[in-house]
Amino acid sequence: MAGKVTFCAFVLVLLSTLAAAISPSARSSTVARRAALENGLGRTPQMGWNSWNHFHRNINEEIIRQIADAMVDTGLAKLGYEYINIDDYGAAYDRDSQLSKWQHNHICRGNLAANASTFPSGVTALADYVHGKGLKLGIYSDAGTRTCGKLMPGSLGYEDQDVKTFASWGIDYLKYDNCNNQGISPQPRYDAMSKALLNSGRNIFFSLCEWGVDDPATWAGGVGNSWRTTGDIKDTWASMTAIADKNDKWASYAGPGGWNDPDMLEVGNGGMTTEEYRSHFSLWALMKAPLLIGCDIHSMSNETKEILSNRNVIAVNQDGLGVQGHKVQQDGEQEVWACPLTGGRFAVVLWNRGSAQASITASWWSIGLNASTVVDAHDLGQMRLYQPCKENWRKQWILMLARCMC
């Protein structure tokens, strides 16, 4: 059959056609959404940076300032990356010495405080610096008695008090973890923080980090703006692909205002090849996952910057239709993932997960197109237009893909 080409194992393609060519089933899937959290945030998946994947506990205010500078200087901020998020180990071991008002039938010990050795200027000054760059500052806490690192207090039982502190600091984003939770069901713990955030007088993006323990996709739509569906990602191809498979199960629950979160990006951290990182970024974009950079953008390579700066791949992630891409076709180790976009377009991933060269046939019916549709196809990684062949481009689309680790 004519028109077969050899590519790497993974390619993200944009198909453009007339809206009338979309099958009724594809249209109906775009409106099967649940009620979202009414805070006006997360209408598209959040974009930004988080400290954990690269720096872990080794963070300080100078690093955060450098990251904010780099976000602007590299042009990433103009592409939509706006949140600078401090993960675990940013606060002092104990609350401050002041006692607060009665709350939840007990008197609360003092407020959360910044770690004086690593954030000597305080969080408010850091927020002012980040905001001055046109960016937003995120912080971390835990729906337990202490955070996962056990060197910071958690917010369980202190939700209203801690949210007032976050608001006074100028915080724009909260990642809320699930350690040391006293065996209490996740839903009431996360719901308490959600209500506190809504009553704070400040719009704060709420990112639930419940690890998918209690299937948050089924209940967190009215609680948070995103929810983790998996455990922590590792900087390996095996971990990344396994997490993508787990996240795929919950595709129908995502939409504007609330997104499935398969964890942060590992692009640029060194554990995968350039092509694997390109695949990682493209798959997260298709899945409408949060695009939270996890590397040191202050010293990233040109290859990493090129991947993270691909406007066309970012546009798939930020498309206003807000439909998560998912696996629509599988033949052994050859897969097709797809999602509809605005303007009668579709994003399609052809993925050869085997070790040998294979032909992947993307059938129109599985993508959501009428059988007679003719499309224009653009490779969003290489930004080239595939030349249509009448034999191949009606009813199905065929490419030859070779598994490669280049």
Side-chain angles (χ1 to χ4, degrees):
M1 192 171 286
K4 292 183 179 179
V5 187
T6 299
F7 293 97
C8 282
F10 187 106
V11 61
L12 174 61
V13 179
L14 179 69
L15 303 184
S16 300
T17 184
L18 298 175
I22 301 173
S23 68
S25 61
R27 287 196 185 98
S28 62
S29 67
T30 65
V31 296
R33 297 291 173 241
R34 75 286 170 278
L37 180 65
E38 295 298 330
N39 65 356
L41 301 175
R43 304 309 298 173
T44 58
Q46 67 268 38
M47 297 177 62
W49 176 90
N50 181 283
S51 62
W52 182 256
N53 284 1
H54 184 85
F55 292 99
H56 299 284
R57 64 183 296 173
N58 301 311
I59 55 172
N60 56 57
E61 65 180 43
E62 182 57 29
I63 288 173
I64 302 303
R65 288 172 185 261
Q66 288 178 352
I67 293 296
D69 292 343
M71 193 68 85
V72 174
D73 295 343
T74 59
L76 290 172
K78 290 184 178 180
L79 296 175
Y81 296 96
E82 61 177 342
Y83 290 105
I84 306 294
N85 296 339
I86 306 168
D87 212 286
D88 205 351
Y89 299 103
Y93 184 86
D94 286 318
R95 295 172 179 272
D96 64 27
S97 59
Q98 297 179 354
L99 294 179
S100 66
K101 296 179 181 179
W102 283 85
Q103 180 176 298
H104 301 300
N105 297 319
H106 68 281
I107 195 164
C108 292
R109 199 173 169 202
N111 296 315
L112 294 172
N115 187 321
S117 63
T118 52
F119 293 86
S121 301
V123 180
T124 302
L126 186 58
D128 289 343
Y129 185 86
V130 170
H131 292 158
K133 295 283 181 178
L135 303 169
K136 298 177 181 179
L137 185 66
I139 207 161
Y140 168 96
S141 189
D142 189 282
T145 54
R146 298 199 70 79
T147 64
C148 293
K150 298 184 179 179
L151 297 181
M152 286 173 48
S155 294
L156 182 63
Y158 291 78
E159 293 86 359
D160 292 331
Q161 179 180 341
D162 288 353
V163 166
K164 289 178 181 177
T165 298
F166 300 152
S168 71
W169 286 343
I171 294 299
D172 306 292
Y173 187 112
L174 174 64
K175 175 183 174 181
Y176 203 43
D177 222 330
N178 193 32
C179 292
N180 305 300
N181 55 47
Q182 309 304 296
I184 303 171
S185 173
Q187 295 186 42
R189 289 183 289 113
Y190 284 91
D191 188 58
M193 179 54 78
S194 177
K195 290 177 180 176
L197 289 168
L198 287 173
N199 293 328
S200 69
R202 184 175 179 83
N203 279 347
I204 299 177
F205 190 105
F206 189 25
S207 171
L208 285 69
C209 186
E210 186 261 11
W211 322 318
V213 171
D214 203 29
D215 298 342
T218 63
W219 53 264
V223 177
N225 299 112
S226 66
W227 44 86
R228 279 278 294 280
T229 55
T230 70
D232 288 357
I233 193 172
K234 295 181 176 62
D235 189 14
T236 67
W237 177 259
S239 172
M240 185 275 288
T241 55
I243 279 179
D245 288 334
K246 292 177 181 177
N247 187 66
D248 184 50
K249 175 181 179 180
W250 307 109
S252 64
Y253 292 90
W259 307 100
N260 292 315
D261 179 4
D263 208 1
M264 298 164 289
L265 294 165
E266 289 283 8
V267 177
N269 280 327
M272 290 185 258
T273 68
T274 297
E275 288 304 319
E276 288 174 332
Y277 280 140
R278 186 172 286 113
S279 300
H280 173 23
F281 187 67
S282 296
L283 189 55
W284 259 232
L286 183 88
M287 293 192 299
K288 302 299 188 293
L291 297 183
L292 294 175
I293 300 169
C295 69
D296 182 4
I297 60 173
H298 178 66
S299 60
M300 65 180 168
S301 67
N302 290 334
E303 291 79 8
T304 295
K305 180 182 176 183
E306 178 268 324
I307 293 170
L308 297 173
S309 301
N310 189 316
R311 294 174 181 269
N312 299 288
V313 176
I314 292 172
V316 170
N317 180 260
Q318 297 291 296
D319 183 76
L321 198 58
V323 177
Q324 177 174 323
H326 64 286
K327 188 188 303 182
V328 298
Q329 189 179 317
Q330 182 172 10
D331 180 13
E333 294 180 309
Q334 285 71 56
E335 299 177 358
V336 178
W337 296 50
C339 68
L341 305 173
T342 55
R345 301 169 302 151
F346 283 77
V348 180
V349 158
L350 303 179
W351 193 357
N352 177 17
R353 300 177 76 154
S355 58
Q357 180 172 288
S359 178
I360 298 181
T361 300
S363 299
W364 276 186
W365 66 265
S366 66
I367 294 172
L369 292 169
N370 292 325
S372 60
T373 303
V374 177
V375 303
D376 289 328
H378 295 261
D379 179 348
L380 296 185
Q382 302 297 326
M383 277 320 298
R384 57 185 164 194
L385 173 66
Y386 294 123
Q387 297 300 318
C389 169
K390 184 176 180 180
E391 178 68 22
N392 287 357
W393 291 60
R394 289 184 182 272
K395 299 186 180 180
Q396 60 186 30
W397 181 45
I398 302 176
L399 288 177
M400 186 72 79
L401 292 157
R403 180 79 173 97
C404 69
M405 295 291 189
C406 46

